[in-house]
Amino acid sequence: MQQTSNQTVHHLQNTVHGFPVNIPSRAKHLLGDAIKWLRQGDQIALLTLVNIEGSAPYPPGSQMLVNQRGEYLGQITGGCAEVALADQAVAAIGQQANTVERYGLNSPYFDIQLPCGSGIDVHFEVAAKLADYEELHAKLLRRESAEQQLKNRLGVFKRVYAPAERLLVFGQGPILASLAQLARFSGFEVIAVAQDANSVARLNEMGVSAVELSTNKQDYQQICDKHTAVVSLFHEHEFETDILRQVLATEAFYIGALGSRRTHEQRLESLQSLGLSGADLDKIHGPVGLDIGANTPEQIAVSVIAQLIEKLPRADALLNVG
């Protein structure tokens, strides 16, 4: 069996309200890969981890995609049983029958053991059609959640897919470039707005498309939803006041701003003068990032990404509905 890698996609996916969207280095879900394989004539099985007895490295809902040649994408056991899972998937594709199989503890496959001593149940879906995956994927591209029903002898499971997390980041200089690049590698869509042309050029050199901050007021609220984080990295903080006022009125799950504690106090005073309440101001993480002693652009970017991951809404889920 052969493992394949998710293709590294071109950094620019599309535009949202005129802003370029840099997509993650790796897709959050395997639906796009499933569509690609089906369109090129492959037969596929989408494997979903539906139950864990004990502990496991990946949570319920984790998925693998396998084609009729045994090539696969994704992980379910962290390398313990992926080859065996791919073998079983090829068999399921040949039989064109959905199935659920047990591995590890209390499994009939005695030669496949999980080092953690746990047991897992994996659903093999081979009956879904191209249109089914296209419908799910289209919802995600519209920033909507999508649901897939999985039926087997254990019950009915609902796999909930959430859109990719998005980072709307403003600023200038090396911190902006480091954060935008690291965010893509961490699975975020990135919309970068740079203060000046030099910062735009630096981002472009690093493979991140960006736009220059407009002197005209832009409507940033339309970009933000509950899967969006917003980070301000301005050194001249007068640029951020109207932006923060706008995004504080959205469902953005995270809002952070660069600067010292004294700078943050001044920031809050400026926003309060615009009529924002204490509850609104409490949403701003300032100084931005986890306090890990970061003192270089790259380290600051790591501290910010770590805090974003800490605050992520855990929207993807697998539910046993029957």
Side-chain angles (χ1 to χ4, degrees):
M1 295 300 164
Q2 177 185 0
Q3 180 177 6
T4 63
S5 299
N6 291 60
Q7 287 192 334
T8 301
V9 290
H10 191 272
H11 62 90
L12 179 60
Q13 179 191 36
N14 53 22
T15 58
V16 173
H17 300 288
F19 294 90
V21 178
N22 300 274
I23 66 175
S25 296
R26 294 293 182 268
K28 181 179 182 182
H29 305 300
L30 295 171
L31 298 176
D33 296 292
I35 291 169
K36 177 183 175 181
W37 281 3
L38 286 169
R39 285 177 176 171
Q40 69 186 25
D42 284 335
Q43 295 176 289
I44 65 168
L46 184 61
L47 284 58
T48 304
L49 178 59
V50 295
N51 183 53
I52 299 172
E53 185 176 346
S55 61
Y58 291 91
S62 299
Q63 294 186 311
M64 278 179 61
L65 180 68
V66 185
N67 64 22
Q68 76 277 8
R69 295 180 297 277
E71 299 168 340
Y72 67 90
L73 302 171
Q75 292 274 316
I76 285 180
T77 72
C80 304
E82 269 66 21
V83 172
L85 289 167
D87 284 337
Q88 185 64 45
V90 172
I93 291 170
Q95 296 167 7
Q96 279 300 292
N98 296 342
T99 185
V100 62
E101 299 291 344
R102 177 79 168 192
Y103 297 92
L105 183 67
N106 298 324
S107 169
Y109 303 107
F110 299 109
D111 57 331
I112 303 171
Q113 296 297 319
L114 304 182
C116 55
S118 301
I120 61 171
D121 295 291
V122 178
H123 177 91
F124 293 74
E125 180 71 41
V126 298
K129 306 300 182 185
L130 173 60
D132 299 325
Y133 291 117
E134 287 177 332
E135 181 179 358
L136 292 170
H137 198 240
K139 288 183 177 181
L140 295 177
L141 293 179
R142 295 196 300 268
R143 307 289 293 171
E144 301 172 8
S145 294
E147 298 178 358
Q148 181 184 28
Q149 295 284 337
L150 307 173
K151 300 179 181 179
N152 56 53
R153 58 180 170 77
L154 300 179
V156 180
F157 298 86
K158 180 168 67 175
R159 177 60 163 86
V160 180
Y161 300 88
E165 288 78 20
R166 174 179 290 170
L167 172 62
L168 172 59
V169 59
F170 302 86
Q172 66 193 89
I175 299 177
L176 173 63
S178 295
L179 180 58
Q181 190 176 51
L182 182 58
R184 286 189 57 242
F185 285 117
S186 301
F188 288 82
E189 291 184 355
V190 176
I191 298 177
V193 181
Q195 180 178 328
D196 51 61
N198 287 337
S199 294
V200 171
R202 183 183 181 93
L203 286 163
N204 290 340
E205 290 173 0
M206 299 178 74
V208 178
S209 294
V211 295
E212 188 173 352
L213 183 71
S214 174
T215 54
N216 300 317
K217 289 186 178 181
Q218 296 278 354
D219 182 3
Y220 297 110
Q221 293 185 22
Q222 59 192 345
I223 301 174
C224 299
D225 56 27
K226 62 184 179 181
H227 304 287
T228 301
V230 182
V231 174
S232 169
L233 299 174
F234 291 111
H235 297 288
E236 290 82 8
H237 296 283
E238 64 270 16
F239 288 109
E240 70 183 8
T241 304
D242 182 64
I243 294 170
L244 290 175
R245 179 191 61 78
Q246 288 190 46
V247 300
L248 283 168
T250 71
E251 294 184 290
F253 74 86
Y254 176 93
I255 299 171
L258 184 70
S260 66
R261 288 180 173 80
R262 176 58 187 150
T263 297
H264 189 56
E265 291 174 2
Q266 295 171 343
R267 172 186 296 123
L268 297 182
E269 291 171 2
S270 297
L271 291 168
Q272 196 168 27
S273 70
L274 298 178
L276 275 75
S277 68
D280 288 327
L281 301 182
D282 288 343
K283 299 177 184 177
I284 305 174
H285 295 266
V288 69
L290 296 180
D291 185 6
I292 59 173
N295 55 20
T296 68
E298 294 80 11
Q299 292 175 0
I300 293 170
V302 168
S303 76
V304 175
I305 289 296
Q307 192 169 57
L308 293 187
I309 293 172
E310 180 183 54
K311 302 298 181 182
L312 275 177
R314 304 301 171 182
D316 283 356
L318 180 80
L319 307 175
N320 189 343
V321 295

